[in-house]
Amino acid sequence: MIPFLDLKRLNEKYKPEIELAIKRVLDSGWYILGNELKLFEKEFAKFSGVEYCIGVGNGLDALILILRAYKELGLLEDGDEILVPANTYIATILAITENRLKPVFVEPTLDSYNIDVVKIKEKITNITKAILPVHLYGQVCDMDSIIEVAKKYNLLVIEDAAQSHGASYKGKKAGNLGDAAGFSFYPGKNLGALGDAGAITTNNQELAKCITYLRNYGSTEKYIHKYKSFNSRLDEMQAAVLRVKLKYINQEIKKRQKLAKLYLEKIDNNKLILPKFNKIENHVFHLFVIRTKQRDKLQKYLLDKNIQTLIHYPIPPHKQLAYKEFSHLQLPITEKIHNEVLSLPISAVQTQKEIEEIIKILNDYA
């Protein structure tokens, strides 16, 4: 069986360094808001090209905290509209509604699967306050066009960069393309922890300071609380593990891009629609997603051939029971994508032989 993602094999490469990092934390006796977190925040900020990084509990909390901080700073208020791609993972929408803000679903383009800038303009109203683009599957959105619209209408731009660690856009990294960005370090991400973990990046000192309070019960000094908040802290153990893996992320990205090129150059089956992108550096291939009208049939065919695939994502947010208030929306492009996408195995430990075997089996599919 070729697994979709072998996390044990992925982390095995760094096991000696990870074990030393964990021992360092154990021996320190300091497990929350310590030196490992400070160093990771500094290192990830440098990697992303930003002034500030704040480590938090997970990617969802990262987005929740950004929006919450903008409310505390007076730039957002209850009921404001946030423009968001309709075909994202539900976490992006949850961050908006958790802050009593209103998600406005915008269709993506069929080429990129990212938010359609033309349709963004059609959705702006007098209570639209932010655009929340998602760099889906690891491909950076058309940020120049998004920033142009945001400046014209005085909108915030908050990146959901949960799948795009290290992706570049005109010389700048994801996480440094808007006003702030939320990252996830869920174990299966390109930069994955050994549990839940996340971070926020920004160049806004006031925002960074506010988030630093908000992630820790509204406090930066014990028993002194400036805001009513909650607890979402990137712990020392995960920070130490992430520091190890951050050293290797660039070479892992190159490996993913190399394997993606193999898929793109050698898959030759007119029943399959391959991903499209402008430049290879814009895409870090967190996922390699193809489309076909016979998705379920293809997935079964591949499983019968011992190839595991996943669907990202089978049900769009507006069709989830959790958001039944949006179930009336007509979003045909989003629904088409969710009905047709299939994610093929791709990771830094995938071998060329495995990829070539998958390609051969796909080319034989009829």
Side-chain angles (χ1 to χ4, degrees), residues 66-98:
I66 293 168
L67 293 168
R68 171 69 188 281
Y70 277 126
K71 290 182 77 175
E72 294 291 352
L73 297 173
L75 295 179
L76 293 174
E77 59 183 38
D78 286 5
D80 283 344
E81 293 178 345
I82 311 296
L83 304 184
V84 63
N87 62 315
T88 185
Y89 181 57
I90 198 170
T92 319
I93 313 303
L94 289 168
I96 297 169
T97 57
E98 278 295 298

Side-chain angles (χ1 to χ4, degrees), residues 279-293:
K279 294 182 179 179
I280 194 71
E281 61 265 27
N282 295 162
H283 207 320
V284 290
F285 294 98
H286 169 59
L287 299 170
F288 190 95
V289 179
I290 62 173
R291 277 183 25 241
T292 176
K293 291 181 179 179

Side-chain angles (χ1 to χ4, degrees), residues 16-26 36 237 240-241 244:
E17 287 185 75
I18 288 172
E19 287 177 339
L20 284 173
I22 290 171
K23 184 177 186 301
R24 189 169 66 239
V25 175
L26 284 172
E36 295 293 338
M237 204 72 78
V241 170
V244 171

Side-chain angles (χ1 to χ4, degrees), residues 222-282:
K222 199 166 187 179
Y223 304 129
I224 307 296
H225 303 270
K226 185 175 180 179
Y227 303 104
K228 298 173 187 174
S229 191
F230 60 101
N231 163 30
S232 180
R233 303 172 298 209
L234 176 60
D235 68 63
E236 288 291 281
M237 204 72 78
Q238 299 300 346
V241 170
L242 288 166
R243 289 186 65 213
V244 171
K245 297 179 78 175
L246 181 59
K247 293 186 293 183
Y248 302 100
I249 189 171
N250 285 329
Q251 69 187 52
E252 290 206 354
I253 287 170
K254 287 178 183 175
K255 176 73 179 291
R256 286 176 176 271
Q257 290 170 336
K258 179 183 176 182
L259 297 178
K261 282 182 179 180
L262 275 176
Y263 274 141
L264 291 164
E265 290 169 3
K266 296 191 175 183
I267 293 176
D268 184 16
N269 187 323
N270 59 17
K271 292 183 181 294
L272 310 178
I273 299 169
L274 303 182
K276 296 177 183 175
F277 54 92
N278 291 326
K279 294 182 179 179
I280 194 71
E281 61 265 27
N282 295 162

Side-chain angles (χ1 to χ4, degrees), residues 30-95:
W30 194 295
Y31 308 125
I32 297 285
L33 297 179
N35 194 51
E36 295 293 338
L37 175 60
K38 289 176 185 175
L39 289 170
F40 174 72
E41 289 174 334
K42 182 179 179 181
E43 290 159 7
F44 192 71
K46 183 179 179 182
F47 171 77
S48 301
V50 298
E51 290 292 324
Y52 306 102
C53 170
I54 308 98
V56 298
N58 55 69
L60 171 56
D61 283 358
L63 294 176
I64 289 174
L65 285 164
I66 293 168
L67 293 168
R68 171 69 188 281
Y70 277 126
K71 290 182 77 175
E72 294 291 352
L73 297 173
L75 295 179
L76 293 174
E77 59 183 38
D78 286 5
D80 283 344
E81 293 178 345
I82 311 296
L83 304 184
V84 63
N87 62 315
T88 185
Y89 181 57
I90 198 170
T92 319
I93 313 303
L94 289 168

Side-chain angles (χ1 to χ4, degrees), residues 164-221:
S164 60
H165 322 69
S168 295
Y169 181 86
K170 299 187 176 180
K172 296 175 77 173
K173 293 272 181 70
N176 187 26
L177 300 169
D179 295 294
F183 285 88
S184 167
F185 304 121
Y186 182 77
K189 302 295 186 186
N190 289 19
L191 179 60
L194 298 185
D196 279 319
I200 293 156
T201 57
T202 185
N203 291 306
N204 185 320
Q205 184 179 29
E206 187 180 21
L207 180 72
K209 186 176 180 181
C210 184
I211 291 168
T212 303
Y213 276 93
L214 292 173
R215 73 165 174 192
N216 185 43
Y217 304 105
S219 170
T220 58
E221 184 180 351

